[in-house]
Amino acid sequence: VAHLSGAACLVASPDGAHLYLLSDANRPDDAAAQTVVFRSDDQGQHWTWMAAGFFPEADRVADNLTPYFYNKDEVWAWGSPGTADDEASADPSGAIPTGVYYS
């Protein structure tokens, strides 16, 4: 039995072959990277930490993502809008970046 404190969202691929647990738990190795995401390929009997994350460029907090599985090989996710205070996303035109991410 595993326990995860905090918020999490369980998402399944359309064919049910893969489960993703998108959490708000901080990573043990790098607080600036996306929060912890787990994947199961056996209906939740075993879980693997996805160290690279799940669309990490779309949102740093994984449980904020709402992935849309188009089919078993294609996934879309909306990116979180930037903020005016986010200097990393500063654009001279004043635009705030957001986007659709595809895998």
Side-chain angles (χ1 to χ4, degrees), residues 30-43:
D30 184 0
Q34 186 181 44
T35 55
V36 175
V37 177
F38 295 99
R39 175 181 165 153
S40 175
D41 297 326
D42 60 5
Q43 308 301 300

Side-chain angles (χ1 to χ4, degrees), residues 11-97:
V11 180
S13 62
D15 60 2
H18 310 291
L19 298 174
Y20 299 91
L21 187 63
L22 312 173
S23 81
D24 70 351
N26 289 326
R27 299 165 59 101
D29 61 345
D30 184 0
Q34 186 181 44
T35 55
V36 175
V37 177
F38 295 99
R39 175 181 165 153
S40 175
D41 297 326
D42 60 5
Q43 308 301 300
Q45 293 181 25
H46 302 92
W47 292 91
T48 303
W49 172 38
M50 296 179 65
F54 186 80
F55 287 109
E57 61 280 356
D59 201 312
R60 192 191 86 67
V61 180
D63 74 327
N64 286 345
L65 294 174
T66 306
Y68 171 74
F69 291 86
Y70 180 71
N71 62 38
K72 69 177 189 155
D73 297 321
E74 297 177 275
V75 185
W76 297 82
W78 286 103
S80 293
T83 64
D85 296 332
D86 185 3
E87 292 181 26
S89 64
D91 185 306
S93 69
I96 297 174

